[in-house]
Amino acid sequence: MVTVTDVAKKAGVSTSTVSRVLSDSGYASARTRSAVLSAAKALGYVPNAIARGLKTQKSGFIAFIMPEVIDPYFFATVARGVEEIANSNGFQILLGNNDDNQLKERNYIELMVASAIEGMIITPSVDSRTAYRILADRGIPIVFVDRVVGGFGADTVRSDDYRGAKLLVDHLASLGHRRVALVNGHSRTSVAMDRAAGFKNAVVHSGLDLDERLISWGPWVIEDAERRVNELVESGAEFSAIIAGNLYMAIGTLRALRRQGLRVPEDVALVSFNDLELAAEINPFLTVLSQPIYSLGRIAMGLLLDRINGKYSGEPRDVVLSPSLVVRESCGAKLKAFDRNLRARPDVVDAK
Amino acid sequence: MVTVTDVAKKAGVSTSTVSRVLSDSGYASARTRSAVLSAAKALGYVPNAIARGLKTQKSGFIAFIMPEVIDPYFFATVARGVEEIANSNGFQILLGNNDDNQLKERNYIELMVASAIEGMIITPSVDSRTAYRILADRGIPIVFVDRVVGGFGADTVRSDDYRGAKLLVDHLASLGHRRVALVNGHSRTSVAMDRAAGFKNAVVHSGLDLDERLISWGPWVIEDAERRVNELVESGAEFSAIIAGNLYMAIGTLRALRRQGLRVPEDVALVSFNDLELAAEINPFLTVLSQPIYSLGRIAMGLLLDRINGKYSGEPRDVVLSPSLVVRESCGAKLKAFDRNLRARPDVVDAK
DNA sequence: GTGAAAGCGCTAACAT
DNA sequence: ATGTTAGCGCTTTCAC
């Protein structure tokens, strides 16, 4: 391994001069400067960031921990946003995956602390407040992405799920639906809670029927959504539209409805959270709530940077990004009125 | 920051004793052991991995660099595989993204070297052999994922693209198609080259028409595929089936065909590389070549570990995973014979 | 403008 | 079984 000492010898100067030249701090005559530079180049010298960090107490590392099990696409996109901003600010990303598992998350946090991270961006698992204390005690800033952790003051970036749920309900209401089911995520995530709240509020405000049996909770995956929708249909509950928690759950819903012999959107309208290029090609083309996923990552890293370099040190910030409705076909908005047959209320037909 | 010195003081021993106890090396009496342990706990001591690494010359870091721009899902899944194995072997992952850009890749590699990585897993960008030399010169092992780098001896994990292309062509041939188009990826990636080779071989072997004009090359993205298929149709070239390089290009193809008023699979059959749960829901349900993506990551990290801990130091290994054909609807295999109307050769209809 | 020396937090000979 | 000492590669006073 080539070290400053090697470069110093070759350039005929001291190690401190080499350091000064290479890190652009302090004075150095043009002559020594070029001597050092060419010596470094000739030797293929790469400064050891680890050793530098030990001295400067700045590792240049930030941690990014995701619960990727749910939706690789979503978190890969967030990661890219984080990466872009981190990279252009000289930070490196230590990647972790908590598998939505408290123990794994805790282990990772300790590992990251040991690696002297300067900050952490995390989509928190179910509840690990105690683990976050490890960071807080050391003054290492945290930014939560996508999910809020109650009672723990830290910056947060997320989409406006409350408003998103409202948008979806209102859209369905405007199409004449009166009984809407919500295939929701895990009841212990803030995302699912917010959506349920927005959903109920909109249902009441629009004068639709509020029926708790139409709301189901569970893992954000295809299979569970499929099972729940099958049960819903078989229970005989009446509904004419379904809101799915993400694209995967929309697919589960689609599979269940197919199995039950129900067509979308003719028999049941379907809308979903989370957009993705592929949603535009799914059969039927999905009406979705589009969220600025990439921005989620970029903004999170931005907030973290502010904290790391002391540009901001005030109260926790809660950045809430607005989703937007993308109307395609699965909601039935583009069906001609006479083609539609709303199952629960076949008489309430509105061509919008 | 709590250091070994603090722990040593509190426990009334020397720093080396603390080090011995905490890293489980060397002797220590039961009494001192517990004294050290409780002191460490009381102080909330977390060993500084950076400092340890400086001394031991083992950072515990490996780099994972992806060209995520192409297919977030694919690389997120590979990353999970890598993460799983890395984590259970005490390695941390430094994440990078080369954006398929040589310059960015080179910068990242230097950054990673500076961080004293012990190995690197990378899906190489177009061609950065010189950058890989930086690692090779330092004896840092590299594993290439998904793409081969010619003339650079390093372990590689990939799917059998040659055979995959053959599988797809043979399937289409068995359905009676004689003129098959290939919407291929970048001509400078080994993946695309292998597929073209497998494609041509299969075309010739099955006695189909070999026509270079039916093969197009370009970025692995929706828009470019769409543009190319539009051009292909407008050029008047005859073909009855298309093979797309990945799901995104399949979508681009679908869009172009729709625009040209061509139905899939009635007018043109479509099959694609890369499976994904969503492919089963795309309109029409896509026939695809499924690849073991998660294994790609796990195996890559396994190969890298062997190199890092010296378990293997022989010739470069080339692990080639077998893909499998998943027949759904877009290929037309499930259409009744009389429903089909092969565009180029409407007379050649074969119900399989 | 440049060099000598100390030290970041840790571990590993080498003593004892 | 435990402590002393040196040093990993780098930066940073502090002299000169």
Side-chain angles (χ1 to χ4, degrees), chain A residues 3-4 16 19 45 48 52 55:
Chain A
T3 72
V4 268
S16 36
S19 172
Y45 171 72
N48 183 328
R52 170 182 297 166
K55 179 68 188 179

Side-chain angles (χ1 to χ4, degrees), chain B residues 3-4 16 19 45 48 52 55:
Chain B
T3 71
V4 268
S16 39
S19 172
Y45 172 72
N48 183 328
R52 171 182 296 165
K55 178 69 188 177

Side-chain angles (χ1 to χ4, degrees), chain A residues 16-32:
Chain A
S16 36
T17 300
V18 172
S19 172
R20 271 193 294 262
V21 170
L22 263 28
S23 53
D24 249 337
S25 59
Y27 306 92
S29 70
R31 287 190 53 211
T32 46

Side-chain angles (χ1 to χ4, degrees), chain B residues 160-192:
Chain B
D160 194 338
D161 287 299
Y162 184 91
R163 190 154 157 272
K166 269 183 80 79
L167 271 175
L168 290 174
V169 171
D170 290 349
H171 177 63
L172 292 170
S174 80
L175 295 174
H177 295 275
R178 300 228 22 157
R179 296 184 58 83
V180 178
L182 174 63
V183 178
N184 207 357
H186 234 291
S187 62
R188 282 164 302 176
T189 58
S190 63
V191 174

